[in-house]
Amino acid sequence: MEITVEHNTRAAQLAMHSLPCSIDHNGPANISSYFLVESDTASGVHAAKFRGRQLAGITAQVPSGLVGALLRESRPALTDQEARTLDVAGQFREFTLWNLETPPTAQADMMRALHAIEVAAILHGNDDDPQPPQSETPSA
Amino acid sequence: MSVRASARAADAAAKKAASTTSMAAPQGQWVCLMPEAVVAREGSTSLATMPHPRTAPDGKVQLYELQSCDSQPRSWFVGQTVQQDGRLFVSTLIDPLFLALGILTRLDSKMFLDITQALDVQDFPATRVLSTCISPQSAERICDVKDLGGLVVIRLNQERADNWLQGKVTRLAAYLKTTTVAVGSAVQASSLQRAGTEADYLKYAVGMISEYLDPTCSARLAERNGVQLVEEKRAGKATHSERFADEDKEETPEEAAKRAKEDEFFKSTPKAKPAEQAEKASDEEICKVKLTSVQRSLAKADTKGVKPISSFFGGVGKKK
């Protein structure tokens, strides 16, 4: 099975929110009118309410060298042998990571996943790579 | 995931995307972090399935690993749509030599083999890409390499591979010392901040690299670094965090017993249902006992000449 991702450098920028609950719905919703975000510029903590629950969020930047992409399969594959095509339907440079009551810490799963990208550059790099992936990389 | 630059008209791609963004139902869509160098240009990328070695990109093709971050419960708001699937897929570079080492170890050939042939694994057609992204120079890190007039033949060299892995351990341990953010489990994080000795970072690094190695390789690496990988007992099924939790602390007998109990619990969860029901049943019994005192007093009441309560409802029906 082969999966191809079609690039699209002009894909629209998306406002992304990762919510600390599972919403059993896929489809359009009037998010910008009903999900109102108040941001404290000093602390960088965002506040919003969802279903009467107080949420606290932080802005998570997509690490440099990466770009957030919304991959969409417009035509679902009928068999698992079939070649599949995903389109970049939108992109993002940051997203808001929400938590209940208290803002997410660096120990939150998603923050750790973002940090793991940096670690992967060390783990999968070699001393004599033509371009060291990180500045910390000791050059041989 | 390998990168393939296929010549595709930019306009066509843009049109295609425009038509899909207006599509209402965001089913069959995923949120992913992808390398900017890959996505920020016209063309396409293919996702391939490779054999994981446990069960540096210097060629034309770069390999990335796709991992999903799934912290349930979580959903996405994507622009003006809701997406139930809250996973974040992250693509990171993977050293193709890890994959090659896994394949060659399993192959266990004493003879020199053509690099393309050696790295081609049945059932994983995408492995053909491997020989194009591993140059002979890079293959020398883990192999004896001979160039027979254009035909590159390789043979696994265990000593070289071990040295290559050791280099990775050293580099990773040095890096981990400079970072305060925990990558593994929370248990590991707190212990790192508490103790933070050289040995701790070494253990941690060995553990992380072992994630990409088959059991025999990781055992050798652990032995070389004087690290005990406790999870071998558990048939190599230990997860990342379990592994670190195990490595971290010297287990006391009580802790071991407690963990064994917990393990037993998780193992027996499907069987736990009858026990649950038994518990419920006993709850009901308690309720019955409590009720009986009331019922007893009710039973004492003189019910002579009193109509049964069912007759009341029956009467209403008749009147109508």
Side-chain angles (χ1 to χ4, degrees):
Chain A
M1 179 192 59
E2 197 186 319
I3 306 174
T4 309
V5 177
E6 295 291 343
H7 302 166
N8 176 16
T9 51
R10 286 177 240 170
Q13 291 288 336
L14 294 167
M16 302 289 292
H17 297 278
S18 176
L19 293 157
C21 55
S22 181
I23 305 169
D24 194 13
H25 176 68
N26 284 300
N30 210 344
I31 289 159
S32 59
S33 332
Y34 291 101
F35 189 69
L36 301 174
V37 179
E38 283 172 28
S39 300
D40 180 0
T41 43
S43 63
V45 174
H46 310 293
K49 288 190 178 71
F50 184 67
R51 292 273 178 130
R53 300 292 290 269
Q54 183 68 50
L55 304 183
I58 53 169
T59 302
Q61 298 287 343
V62 173
S64 65
L66 290 163
V67 63
L70 181 71
L71 304 182
R72 184 176 292 161
E73 186 172 35
S74 34
R75 196 182 59 85
L78 299 172
T79 65
D80 58 353
Q81 299 296 313
E82 202 176 328
R84 300 169 68 176
T85 306
L86 307 179
D87 292 299
V88 176
Q91 51 183 321
F92 56 95
R93 296 271 163 189
E94 60 180 38
F95 61 90
T96 314
L97 181 63
W98 294 97
N99 198 16
L100 274 174
E101 311 282 345
T102 53
T105 62
Q107 300 303 324
D109 285 354
M110 275 213 191
M111 297 311 280
R112 291 225 309 266
L114 295 181
H115 181 70
I117 295 166
E118 200 179 309
V119 179
I122 304 294
L123 210 165
H124 296 286
N126 284 299
D127 284 347
D128 48 352
D129 276 346
Q131 294 155 325
Q134 291 291 321
S135 51
E136 295 100 313
T137 311
S139 51
Chain B
M1 179 167 39
S2 65
V3 179
R4 221 182 39 181
S6 79
R8 185 167 282 270
D11 284 346
K15 257 184 214 164
K16 203 173 184 182
S19 66
T20 49
T21 35
S22 60
M23 204 174 69
Q27 271 164 346
Q29 74 177 26
W30 298 269
V31 178
C32 183
L33 300 187
M34 297 179 76
E36 197 170 6
V38 171
V39 181
R41 59 152 201 242
E42 300 299 339
S44 63
T45 301
S46 60
L47 302 184
T49 313
M50 292 275 179
H52 192 282
R54 242 179 110 209
T55 58
D58 41 14
K60 289 169 206 150
V61 179
Q62 286 200 334
L63 286 183
Y64 294 88
E65 177 183 18
L66 196 60
Q67 291 175 308
S68 80
C69 173
D70 188 9
S71 59
Q72 289 288 349
R74 211 155 260 285
S75 287
W76 282 105
F77 280 169
V78 179
Q80 295 298 311
T81 55
V82 177
Q83 184 186 312
Q84 193 262 324
D85 181 358
R87 285 180 296 176
L88 175 69
F89 290 89
V90 181
S91 49
T92 51
L93 270 179
I94 184 167
D95 193 332
L97 287 180
F98 278 125
L99 298 171
L101 181 59
I103 294 169
L104 293 174
T105 307
R106 219 149 274 178
L107 200 65
D108 195 25
S109 168
K110 300 271 177 287
M111 288 188 292
F112 277 91
L113 287 171
D114 171 15
I115 186 163
T116 330
Q117 199 189 332
L119 298 178
D120 193 1
V121 181
Q122 219 184 351
D123 301 333
F124 291 95
T127 48
R128 273 177 231 129
V129 174
L130 270 179
S131 56
T132 62
C133 57
I134 298 173
S135 69
Q137 291 83 357
S138 125
E140 272 189 342
R141 294 192 184 111
I142 61 167
C143 294
D144 297 321
V145 180
K146 277 186 197 170
D147 191 345
L148 307 174
L151 180 72
V152 179
V153 292
I154 56 168
R155 184 178 64 185
L156 180 64
N157 182 323
Q158 207 67 68
E159 200 188 323
R160 279 186 188 183
D162 287 352
N163 288 336
W164 169 71
L165 289 172
Q166 193 55 42
K168 285 209 182 275
V169 170
T170 314
R171 260 159 50 96
L172 190 58
Y175 166 78
L176 290 172
K177 219 190 292 179
T178 64
T179 182
T180 49
V181 182
V183 187
S185 67
V187 178
Q188 178 69 13
S190 54
S191 82
L192 266 186
Q193 277 151 10
R194 249 199 341 264
T197 65
E198 293 284 323
D200 285 338
Y201 293 117
L202 202 64
K203 264 187 200 176
Y204 195 9
V206 170
M208 286 183 73
I209 288 168
S210 293
E211 291 287 310
Y212 292 93
L213 300 175
D214 72 303
T216 51
C217 271
S218 60
R220 248 200 333 274
L221 189 65
E223 201 186 315
R224 181 167 175 170
N225 287 284
V227 176
Q228 273 198 318
L229 292 179
V230 188
E231 85 286 354
E232 293 302 329
K233 273 189 258 169
R234 295 209 226 162
K237 271 191 176 175
T239 64
H240 208 65
S241 50
E242 274 178 320
R243 175 178 304 217
F244 292 142
D246 285 351
E247 278 174 28
D248 256 1
K249 302 181 272 184
E250 293 291 317
E251 264 185 304
T252 62
E254 297 100 84
E255 276 175 332
K258 195 186 166 195
R259 208 197 58 202
K261 246 188 190 175
E262 279 168 0
D263 281 1
E264 202 53 50
F265 173 75
F266 288 120
K267 265 183 224 159
S268 62
T269 24
K271 288 180 199 162
K273 271 184 184 167
E276 240 172 64
Q277 281 166 357
E279 214 172 277
K280 266 187 193 167
S282 67
D283 274 353
E284 276 166 20
E285 266 170 39
I286 292 165
C287 288
K288 269 183 195 166
V289 172
K290 274 180 190 167
L291 276 174
T292 42
S293 60
V294 184
Q295 284 169 335
R296 240 179 273 140
S297 63
L298 274 171
K300 277 177 194 167
D302 189 10
T303 53
K304 270 180 192 169
V306 177
K307 277 185 185 172
I309 201 156
S310 55
S311 67
F312 172 77
F313 298 104
V316 173
K318 273 174 196 170
K319 271 175 194 170
K320 274 188 176 177

